[in-house]
Amino acid sequence: SMWISGVLIDSLELCVGISLVSGVGGHEGRVSSIDIPNSVKTIGPNTFEGCTGLASFAIPSSVNALGDSFLSNTSLQSILSKRRLPIAFAEDATTFKGVDQENVTLYVPHGCKAAYESAAGWKDFGSIVEMELGDINWDGRVDVADLNMMVNHVLGTKPLVDLPDGDFDGDGKVDIADINAAINSILGVQ
């Protein structure tokens, strides 16, 4: 938990419309989760420094810049990068300074593991795990929740932000054919 303006909180959900996130860290308390909307473009230097309760962190696909030491002195166990291409860093960048990369698992989109394994800064993670195709909500499995997200996208009620996660046939869109493929995946049918 941490105190912000006299209120004790355990999690932080940032507002849509923010383009730069900075200055969240530095609190004596513990923030266990942070939800960053897909409108954020930049996460500034030292942003979450000292958020000792932060075990997992997701980088939205919209983020194109990460500041130095943005996650230092946290208790990270995993980072989820929803970007299909890793953000480019110089070999001597200090973006992940203070993060025990050898003991943090990096989760990346389906089909993107090789790009992360060869990218400066990213390749130093001890374990890089590729998410399963169709795991739209990034919970580690393809299930009815993912299927519902795909149906809502096709119906136009809630468009998907990261289309490739549900594009089973690789045609650049999520449609009824992909929904059928997701159903077959869930049922274990080829």
Side-chain angles (χ1 to χ4, degrees):
S1 303
M2 72 180 214
W3 292 93
I4 295 182
S5 299
V7 177
L8 184 65
I9 63 169
D10 291 317
S11 70
L12 183 62
E13 184 171 340
L14 301 173
C15 303
V16 173
I18 295 174
S19 61
L20 168 68
V21 178
S22 64
V24 175
H27 298 276
E28 294 292 324
R30 300 170 61 93
V31 173
S32 57
S33 69
I34 297 172
D35 185 14
I36 298 179
N38 209 50
S39 59
V40 171
K41 305 286 184 228
T42 302
I43 299 175
N46 305 310
T47 299
F48 303 108
E49 180 179 12
C51 291
T52 56
L54 191 59
S56 182
F57 184 80
I59 301 168
S61 59
S62 61
V63 171
N64 53 32
L66 296 171
D68 291 342
S69 305
F70 82 102
L71 286 169
S72 64
N73 301 318
T74 60
S75 301
L76 278 181
Q77 297 170 6
S78 63
I79 294 178
L80 294 80
S81 178
K82 295 185 177 185
R83 290 182 46 88
R84 300 208 61 76
L85 293 173
I87 296 170
F89 305 121
E91 283 293 335
D92 60 350
T94 58
T95 305
F96 294 111
K97 181 181 177 189
V99 173
D100 184 7
Q101 286 179 275
E102 187 60 36
N103 293 308
V104 173
T105 301
L106 174 63
Y107 294 92
V108 300
H110 180 79
C112 301
K113 183 177 179 179
Y116 279 87
E117 287 176 329
S118 62
W122 302 99
K123 64 184 176 186
D124 300 324
F125 282 91
S127 176
I128 300 176
V129 177
E130 192 171 78
M131 297 302 290
E132 186 176 350
L133 180 61
D135 185 9
I136 297 168
N137 62 4
W138 286 61
D139 66 355
R141 62 186 182 274
V142 178
D143 58 18
V144 174
D146 301 298
L147 185 61
N148 283 335
M149 292 174 76
M150 293 173 73
V151 168
N152 286 332
H153 172 79
V154 170
L155 293 175
T157 56
K158 189 167 184 188
L160 294 174
V161 173
D162 298 309
L163 285 179
D165 294 338
D167 184 12
F168 279 81
D169 58 14
D171 64 357
K173 60 186 181 218
V174 174
D175 54 22
I176 195 69
D178 299 302
I179 291 172
N180 286 332
I183 291 169
N184 289 338
S185 176
I186 292 167
L187 297 175
V189 177
Q190 294 294 336

